[in-house]
Amino acid sequence: MNFGAALLEDGYPAIVDFIARDPDHETYIFRRFSRLTAKVLLSLQGELLSVEDELRKLEQEVVRGQSVSAHHALRSWPRVAESPTLDTRSDMQKKRRMLMERAQTQLKEYHETLLRQAQISELEIPRSRPLNTYRVELNGEDGKHHKLDGLEEHMLDDSADLVTLAAPANRDALSNFICDHWPFPGRRLSPHEWDRTRHFDGRKVVLLVSALSTMIASALLVAPVLALYFVMNPGARLALVIVFILLFSLAMSLATNASRDSIFAATAAYSAVLVVFVSGNLANATPSTPG
């Protein structure tokens, strides 16, 4: 028995091999730990609230007191080490300094955790295709052949708590649809015969989407010219203009990454072209027929 080959077919070595062999890194899917992060942030926030309250009470005690030197201590950072005696005033200054140092340490940890979580929140949820492939690799197609035991069996169960480290280059709906329904056979990356995972080159998806986008754009320019040239009924031409404007805005939304304001601007320009065409002499001309 080849123990080395068996080792790579099960356990962490198998999962590591599966994740690492994807050239597009779509299998870099990990837990976000949203609930645990929220607990940590709330705990740090609670500690800071306690320090803030202690400082507020200490400063109120100084304000209500009669000590001039204590009032002066609120106007500058107290230097406890230079105090010649540990009287009531210096003890208060020392406590204030300790609270400030404690707040400084906890604020640093709190802010670093906040910033890291803000960056993690920007990571995207994995797409269904690589996630389902990962789940099959982890637990088998029937969900009963686990390569990891214990809690690791369920680490991909909560889709909302997962992140992918490889954001897709194209986020438009057309590219996503083609990626999820790629019609051509892919290339096998694993040397194991039992592994049916296939990989397709993302550049081919980009080329196909570019070709389809070019054809859609050409059709949305040529079709209204022909339709409005041959249709003479004013009501029918108005309906055609509305239909083509809706198709253009839908194509912009599905086949591009354009923002909403860009879609509005492009649709307005497209509408203006159609209106000019309808109101021009070309639209009023009738096609000549050979005698």
Side-chain angles (χ1 to χ4, degrees):
M1 178 179 180
N2 190 342
F3 288 99
L7 181 63
L8 289 177
E9 296 176 6
D10 196 16
Y12 270 100
I15 299 301
V16 169
D17 181 65
F18 169 77
I19 294 174
R21 68 171 176 255
D22 182 9
D24 298 326
H25 307 297
E26 288 185 305
T27 51
Y28 276 70
I29 299 172
F30 301 95
R31 284 282 307 276
R32 190 191 300 268
F33 292 105
S34 299
R35 291 180 59 86
L36 187 58
T37 302
K39 290 180 180 180
V40 171
L41 285 172
L42 284 174
S43 175
L44 292 172
Q45 180 179 261
E47 294 177 2
L48 285 168
L49 286 171
S50 176
V51 174
E52 182 184 45
D53 185 63
E54 289 185 48
L55 274 171
R56 180 181 57 81
K57 291 179 179 178
L58 182 62
E59 291 168 354
Q60 288 179 349
E61 182 180 349
V62 172
V63 170
R64 289 193 298 265
Q66 302 297 323
S67 173
V68 177
S69 58
H71 280 271
H72 288 168
L74 294 179
R75 301 171 64 90
S76 64
W77 181 247
R79 301 182 180 278
V80 179
E82 299 177 1
S83 300
T85 59
L86 292 178
D87 55 12
T88 304
R89 177 180 59 83
S90 60
D91 285 344
M92 188 175 296
Q93 293 178 6
K94 186 174 182 178
K95 183 177 180 181
R96 179 169 175 255
R97 181 178 183 126
M98 291 174 62
L99 286 172
M100 290 298 298
E101 291 176 349
R102 178 181 165 193
Q104 187 177 23
T105 302
Q106 293 178 345
L107 269 176
K108 181 180 179 180
E109 182 180 2
Y110 178 68
H111 288 160
E112 288 177 351
T113 306
L114 274 180
L115 292 176
R116 287 197 299 267
Q117 181 58 26
Q119 293 175 340
I120 293 174
S121 299
E122 296 295 326
L123 297 176
E124 296 187 2
I125 296 176
R127 295 185 49 75
S128 59
R129 176 181 48 81
L131 178 57
N132 291 335
T133 304
Y134 193 171
R135 285 171 172 167
V136 171
E137 178 70 18
L138 180 65
N139 297 318
E141 293 187 5
D142 57 358
K144 298 178 180 179
H145 295 80
H146 309 296
K147 290 188 176 178
L148 297 179
D149 295 329
L151 296 175
E152 286 91 334
E153 295 178 11
H154 309 286
M155 64 184 185
L156 301 179
D157 289 356
D158 188 0
S159 301
D161 197 46
L162 298 175
V163 295
T164 177
L165 302 186
N170 298 295
R171 297 182 176 85
D172 58 273
L174 180 60
S175 298
N176 294 336
F177 178 82
I178 292 177
C179 286
D180 291 338
H181 303 83
W182 185 251
F184 307 106
R187 177 169 56 96
R188 186 167 64 183
L189 300 177
S190 173
H192 306 296
E193 292 295 332
W194 48 264
D195 191 345
R196 295 188 297 173
T197 304
R198 299 295 184 268
H199 173 266
F200 57 87
D201 193 349
R203 291 174 295 181
K204 295 180 180 179
V205 177
V206 174
L207 290 175
L208 180 57
V209 170
S210 299
L212 291 176
S213 299
T214 302
M215 289 188 289
I216 292 173
S218 301
L220 287 174
L221 291 175
V222 175
V225 172
L226 295 176
L228 294 174
Y229 180 75
F230 286 102
V231 175
M232 294 293 105
N233 184 276
R237 293 161 80 186
L238 179 61
L240 284 174
V241 169
I242 295 174
V243 168
F244 282 117
I245 290 175
L246 292 176
L247 290 175
F248 179 83
S249 60
L250 182 63
M252 285 286 294
S253 301
L254 297 180
T256 68
N257 294 323
S259 58
R260 286 192 296 269
D261 54 347
S262 298
I263 293 175
F264 289 147
T267 304
Y270 182 79
S271 304
V273 171
L274 294 185
V275 170
V276 171
F277 181 81
V278 170
S279 60
N281 293 329
L282 183 59
N284 296 323
T286 58
S288 60
T289 57

